[in-house]
Amino acid sequence: QKEVEQNSGPLSVPEGAIASLNCTYSDRGSQSFFWYRQYSGKSPELIMSIYSNGDKEDGRFTAQLNKASQYVSLLIRDSQPSDSATYLCAGAGGTSYGKLTFGQGTILTVHP
Amino acid sequence: DTAVSQTPKYLVTQMGNDKSIKCEQNLGHDTMYWYKQDSKKFLKIMFSYNNKELIINETVPNRFSPKSPDKAHLNLHINSLELGDSAVYFCASSPGLGAGEQYFGPGTRLTVT
């Protein structure tokens, strides 16, 4: 079983729609979670971090964490073509202390 | 001013050769990492250093040898390169050990022929 698993995708949404990216994790000791965005040929960049249960909003992005269900999600509202990228979910803490454990990524395409 | 830089950006070499990749960060961070991203875009940690001390070594073949001369630099030397070493190697840094907010360098695309 993968430690961090993302919905496989690829995901395609029309411009202006809500894109929903999901991630589950197996290590109950994981404390914090992160979403990184990676454009093709570029390096990952952090877009959201979440540490406690519930929702965290930042502009058009909302991260959600449910530790009981071991589930993390990222919602992108009013999706734009510039949001087209690979989104990487990562967990830290527990057996992953001192490192990030990444999921395999979800490719998102926002079409005009 | 680049926060995390790597050289070279591209590296093409033959099997059996030895090569090095260099990384520098000017963020004042204590912790640096090497990641390998394979052709399926899976990003996996290889090593981490905290204040020049090796913290994580993720069952990487001993042909890979990291070295941190100071906390702003982390280099990766690879001996006897194999075809399977072809990947993109990313350096990253974070303020401290256990910090999930990591800043990645631009990557080094290594191709072994």
Side-chain angles (χ1 to χ4, degrees):
Chain A
Q1 182 188 7
K2 293 176 186 170
E3 293 182 46
V4 177
E5 194 152 0
Q6 298 184 233
N7 52 338
S8 54
L11 180 65
S12 180
V13 300
E15 185 173 356
I18 295 175
S20 177
L21 304 162
N22 303 314
C23 174
T24 57
Y25 60 95
S26 59
D27 182 1
R28 283 199 171 273
S30 296
Q31 299 295 315
S32 49
F33 298 88
F34 306 86
W35 284 98
Y36 283 77
R37 177 177 62 199
Q38 186 175 22
Y39 292 114
S40 182
K42 301 295 184 183
S43 56
E45 60 174 326
L46 179 68
I47 55 172
M48 288 290 284
S49 57
I50 187 163
Y51 302 92
S52 54
N53 280 328
D55 295 359
K56 179 181 176 183
E57 188 174 315
D58 184 0
R60 295 186 296 111
F61 298 94
T62 298
Q64 299 173 318
L65 173 60
N66 183 325
K67 290 188 177 181
S69 301
Q70 296 176 245
Y71 176 85
V72 191
S73 67
L74 180 71
L75 299 178
I76 307 175
R77 290 182 301 281
D78 188 24
S79 295
Q80 301 297 309
S82 59
D83 295 324
S84 298
T86 297
Y87 289 80
L88 302 166
C89 173
T95 58
S96 294
Y97 181 75
K99 66 178 182 180
L100 286 177
T101 299
F102 284 89
Q104 73 274 33
T106 300
I107 298 172
L108 171 67
T109 301
V110 181
H111 51 88
Chain B
D1 200 16
T2 306
V4 183
S5 58
Q6 290 178 233
T7 53
K9 190 166 175 61
Y10 300 96
L11 197 46
V12 181
T13 189
Q14 291 184 327
M15 284 175 55
N17 284 348
D18 303 339
K19 290 293 178 187
S20 292
I21 307 171
K22 295 187 175 183
C23 178
E24 177 181 1
Q25 56 96 2
N26 62 8
L27 298 167
H29 288 169
D30 286 342
T31 310
M32 296 185 73
Y33 310 82
W34 279 114
Y35 285 90
K36 179 180 181 181
Q37 188 168 48
D38 60 24
S39 57
K40 295 184 178 179
K41 303 296 186 185
F42 186 59
L43 192 62
K44 186 165 171 52
I45 190 167
M46 300 173 67
F47 302 102
S48 76
Y49 271 75
N50 190 61
N51 271 322
K52 303 192 299 176
E53 181 185 352
L54 178 66
I55 302 298
I56 291 172
N57 180 342
E58 285 284 296
T59 59
V60 176
N62 57 16
R63 298 183 295 105
F64 291 78
S65 50
K67 192 166 289 188
S68 181
D70 55 62
K71 73 174 193 177
H73 296 84
L74 180 62
N75 304 322
L76 183 65
H77 187 76
I78 316 170
N79 289 324
S80 303
L81 278 154
E82 300 178 357
L83 292 176
D85 298 332
S86 295
V88 180
Y89 292 84
F90 287 104
C91 175
S93 72
S94 65
L97 195 60
E101 295 89 355
Q102 296 185 12
Y103 296 81
F104 284 79
T108 296
R109 182 174 293 278
L110 172 64
T111 303
V112 182
T113 62

